């Protein structure tokens, strides 16, 4: 009967060892996932910063174009006030205005594209942060499971040790009884 307990205890100990190995593997996978998510987060943040700088540069460029446009408008006003060159100034202004409009439209299109890229980057950053939180939770669960399994293993090891000691004691008792039987048979 004690031998059956030992077999059961060994089987449970093997199960616990297997569960601990599984927990360690999950923990390693979670760490690798966190490292990957962290690197993706850093990459997305650097892309976001790059996009912010690009937006600032485009904004400055738009301001410069608007400033030149105002300066040209002032020149045209001067030309219009003078009696000569009004028509030439008007043509020049129209050409510059068309050029400025085209440039402004091009910059607005680029700005829309940059904003769209920024939104995608922010979405990627949020997703990476969520994955990092999930992985942290998984690591914590794995740690708790591992600690629980280690405690169970310690209890089982103590039980196995106690059972072995009892088995030795019973074996010694059995040997003593056999000797007594042999002594009785000899008499």
């Amino acid at each position: 009967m004690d031998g059956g307990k030992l077999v059961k205890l060994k089987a449970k100990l093997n199960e616990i060892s297997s569960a601990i190995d599984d927990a360690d593997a999950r923990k390693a996978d979670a760490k690798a996932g966190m490292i990957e998510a962290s690197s993706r987060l850093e990459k997305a943040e650097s892309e976001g910063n790059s996009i912010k700088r690009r937006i600032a540069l485009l904004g400055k460029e738009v301001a410069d174009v608007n400033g030149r446009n105002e300066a040209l408008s002032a020149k045209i006003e001067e030309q219009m006030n003078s009696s000569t060159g009004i028509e030439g100034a008007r043509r020049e202004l129209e050409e510059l205005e068309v050029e400025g409009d085209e440039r402004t439209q091009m910059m607005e299109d680029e700005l829309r594209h940059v904003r769209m890229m920024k939104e995608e980057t922010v979405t990627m950053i949020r997703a990476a942060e969520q994955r990092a939180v999930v992985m942290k939770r998984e690591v914590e669960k794995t740690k708790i499971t591992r600690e629980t399994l280690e405690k169970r293993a310690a209890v089982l090891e103590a039980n196995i040790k106690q059972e072995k000691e009892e088995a030795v004691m019973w074996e010694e008792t059995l040997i003593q009884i056999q000797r007594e039987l042999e002594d009785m048979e000899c008499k």
Side-chain angles (χ1 to χ4, degrees):
M1 184 163 184
D2 290 329
K5 283 184 180 179
L6 285 175
V7 170
K8 287 180 183 177
L9 287 174
K10 285 182 181 178
K12 284 196 177 211
L13 186 58
N14 286 338
E15 287 177 32
I16 289 170
S17 296
S18 174
I20 289 171
D21 292 343
D22 291 345
D24 287 341
R26 285 197 315 259
K27 182 180 178 182
D29 290 345
K31 282 183 182 178
M34 285 186 66
I35 290 169
E36 180 184 333
S38 177
S39 66
R40 284 190 298 215
L41 177 62
E42 289 176 8
K43 181 180 177 185
E45 286 176 342
S46 67
E47 287 178 5
N49 291 336
S50 173
I51 289 170
K52 286 178 186 177
R53 287 190 299 273
R54 194 168 176 193
I55 288 171
L57 289 174
L58 287 173
K60 186 178 177 182
E61 208 170 284
V62 167
D64 290 345
V65 168
N66 287 338
R68 285 188 299 222
N69 201 7
E70 288 175 8
L72 289 174
S73 295
K75 282 184 181 178
I76 289 173
E77 183 119 5
E78 271 182 39
Q79 291 287 333
M80 291 179 113
N81 289 338
S82 71
S83 59
T84 59
I86 293 176
E87 188 61 33
R90 186 178 64 80
R91 282 190 205 122
E92 185 179 331
L93 176 63
E94 287 176 356
E95 289 172 7
L96 290 175
E97 186 177 356
V98 167
E99 184 181 312
D101 288 345
E102 289 173 355
R103 179 113 171 109
T104 302
Q105 182 63 40
M106 199 168 67
M107 289 188 331
E108 286 175 354
D109 290 342
E110 191 171 342
L111 183 62
R112 270 193 295 270
H113 177 70
V114 168
R115 283 185 179 151
M116 189 171 62
M117 286 175 53
K118 178 185 172 188
E119 289 173 9
E120 289 174 3
T121 303
V122 167
T123 302
M124 287 173 46
I125 289 171
R126 287 186 184 141
E129 288 172 347
Q130 289 172 349
R131 283 192 297 272
V133 167
V134 168
M135 290 196 182
K136 284 180 185 176
R137 288 182 188 153
E138 187 66 28
V139 166
E140 287 302 317
K141 286 180 186 177
T142 302
K143 284 180 184 177
I144 292 169
T145 303
R146 180 180 180 193
E147 290 170 1
T148 303
L149 291 174
E150 286 174 349
K151 288 176 185 175
R152 285 184 189 167
V155 169
L156 287 173
E157 286 173 356
N159 288 344
I160 288 171
K161 183 179 178 183
Q162 183 181 359
E163 292 293 328
K164 282 182 180 179
E165 290 171 359
E166 286 180 20
V168 168
M169 187 178 75
W170 282 107
E171 189 176 331
E172 289 173 357
T173 305
L174 183 63
I175 291 170
Q176 184 179 0
I177 290 172
Q178 284 177 344
R179 285 184 188 156
E180 288 175 5
L181 283 174
E182 287 174 0
D183 287 345
M184 285 182 176
E185 286 177 1
C186 288
K187 285 182 183 182

